[in-house]
Amino acid sequence: MKPGPRNLITDVAGLLVGNAQDAGLLSGVTVLTAEHPFTAAVHVMGGAPGTRETDLLAPDKLVEKVDALVLSGGSAFGLDAASGVSDGLRAMGRGFEVGGMRVPIVPAAIVFDLLNGGAKDWTDNPYRALGRAALDAAGADFALGSAGAGLGAMTGTWKGGLGSASAVLQNGLTVGALVVVNALGSATVGNGPEFWAAPWELGFEFGGRGAARDYPAAEPPPAKRLGEATTIAIVATDAALTKAQAQRMATAAHDGMARALVPSHTPLDGDLVFAAATGLRPLADPVGDSFALCHAASVCLARAIARGVHAARPQPGDRQPCWFTRFG
C-alpha cells in the first residue's frame, strides 16, 4: 500500500473534514461529512464511552446511511456539537426523510479534556456553536495535531492531537483514518522518540525514527485518572460496504489502536472506532477485498495516531510537553 495524495482521510473521494476550536477553552470539534449520505458503523472497545446515536448504526437497525460523524472534546458536554452539525445539515436540506421532514443523522463520540488547563467556566455550552463552525469549515484539506477535537488532547506521555492517514491498495480501493488521540497510554516507547507505530510508518510521516531497540521492562503507571482518557477514530473507504461489513472494518481497526498506544482499550477509557463507506467502488472480490480493507484500516489508524502526536504543537495552558518540542 502507499499513501494517498494528501495522506488524509479525505483521500477517500467525496469525504470532507472540518475543524473548529477555541484556544481559551483548549478544546474543539472535528466533523467528517460527505457530498452524499454514507454507510456507517461503530465498534466500542473502551470501558467508558461517551456517544450519541450509535445504537442506530447496528446492522439490524432501520437507518442505512448517515450525514456526518462528529468527534468532539468536552466530555458529555461535547455531545451537543452534533446538534450544531445537525442544524447546519438541515439548513442544507440534508437528512433522513420522514413524512416530508428531513432529520440529519449525526452520530458522535467525545473525549474527556475538561482537566487540560483550558477555561471550562462557561455559562452556555460552547460545543453546539463549535459543531456548526466545524461543519461550515469542512473541506478536503484540514490541519492535524493541535486542531479541532485534538486541540487539548493529552496522552500518558506527550501532548495528544488530531491525526489522519490514508492508503491506496493494490486492488484500487482507498482507505483512510481520522483520530483524536487522548489516550490513557503512550504513543511512544518509554520516554523516547520512537513511536509504537513505527513498523507501519510510510516514509517520514511521523519523523522516521524507526522502531525502538530496547523496550522498557515495565511501562509507567497511567498519568491520568478514571474517566480522563479516550481515543476516538473514524476509518473510511470508497468501497461499497454493508453496515455489517463496515462494522467488521471498524472492529479490525482497533488492532491499529492497540499497536500504536500502550495500553489501549482499558476500563478507564472510551476507545471506539467509527467506520464510513462511501460506496463509490464495488468489491470485485468480496472476501479478498474485505480482508485487505480490514488490514489497511488497522495500519492507517496506527499511522494516524502517531501522526496526531507528532503534529501536536505547544498552546498556552498546556499541561504536557509536545513530542515536537523535545524531538522535532
Side-chain angles (χ1 to χ4, degrees):
M1 66 181 71
K2 61 181 181 180
R6 297 182 181 86
N7 201 15
L8 299 173
I9 196 171
T10 48
D11 286 327
V12 176
L15 292 185
L16 305 170
V17 171
N19 288 326
Q21 56 275 323
D22 183 317
L25 188 65
L26 204 56
S27 185
V29 175
T30 298
V31 174
L32 180 139
T33 188
E35 298 167 357
H36 306 283
F38 54 92
T39 300
V42 68
H43 190 260
V44 181
M45 287 284 284
T51 60
R52 165 175 160 158
E53 288 195 305
T54 50
D55 281 355
L56 63 78
L57 299 181
D60 63 330
K61 298 303 184 287
L62 173 65
V63 176
E64 290 292 331
K65 297 181 183 294
V66 307
D67 297 288
L69 296 170
V70 175
L71 308 178
S72 179
S75 188
F77 301 105
L79 292 175
D80 203 33
S83 296
V85 175
S86 184
D87 289 345
L89 289 166
R90 184 170 186 244
M92 299 175 192
R94 295 280 299 271
F96 184 74
E97 186 175 0
V98 182
M101 294 293 294
R102 290 282 180 176
V103 182
I105 307 299
V106 186
I110 49 86
V111 299
F112 186 99
D113 60 2
L114 297 180
L115 304 179
N116 64 0
K120 307 300 194 294
D121 56 346
W122 64 76
T123 301
D124 297 317
N125 187 324
Y127 287 95
R128 186 171 190 142
L130 285 169
R132 179 65 180 267
L135 177 68
D136 291 343
D141 294 302
F142 58 95
L144 299 182
S146 302
L151 179 67
M154 300 191 295
T155 74
T157 307
W158 310 106
K159 185 176 178 180
L162 183 71
S164 190
S166 69
V168 180
L169 311 187
Q170 289 185 347
N171 59 14
L173 297 173
T174 299
V175 175
L178 179 69
V179 61
V180 181
V181 188
N182 189 63
L184 185 73
S186 176
T188 62
V189 181
N191 292 314
E194 298 91 357
F195 288 93
W196 288 109
W200 293 275
E201 185 175 14
L202 297 181
F204 297 90
E205 61 187 346
F206 42 89
R209 294 299 186 110
R213 295 184 179 181
D214 297 310
Y215 292 90
E219 287 297 307
K224 296 183 176 184
R225 295 169 293 178
L226 177 66
E228 290 184 10
T230 284
T231 296
I232 51 178
I234 304 168
V235 292
T237 180
D238 54 357
L241 302 182
T242 65
K243 288 171 73 175
Q245 289 170 321
Q247 187 179 60
R248 174 48 49 188
M249 186 172 72
T251 303
H254 276 284
D255 290 348
M257 192 179 295
R259 291 168 183 163
L261 293 168
V262 178
S264 292
H265 308 137
T266 79
L268 309 183
D269 59 50
D271 293 349
L272 67 77
V273 179
F274 289 110
T278 61
L280 297 179
R281 299 174 64 94
L283 299 182
D285 175 2
V287 175
D289 287 348
S290 293
F291 173 88
L293 286 172
C294 288
H295 173 61
S298 67
V299 171
C300 278
L301 183 51
R303 293 165 48 216
I305 288 168
R307 292 192 81 201
V309 175
H310 179 262
R313 296 295 185 268
Q315 301 288 323
D318 279 349
R319 295 190 172 180
Q320 284 187 311
C322 291
W323 184 98
F324 179 83
T325 302
R326 178 77 179 275
F327 302 113

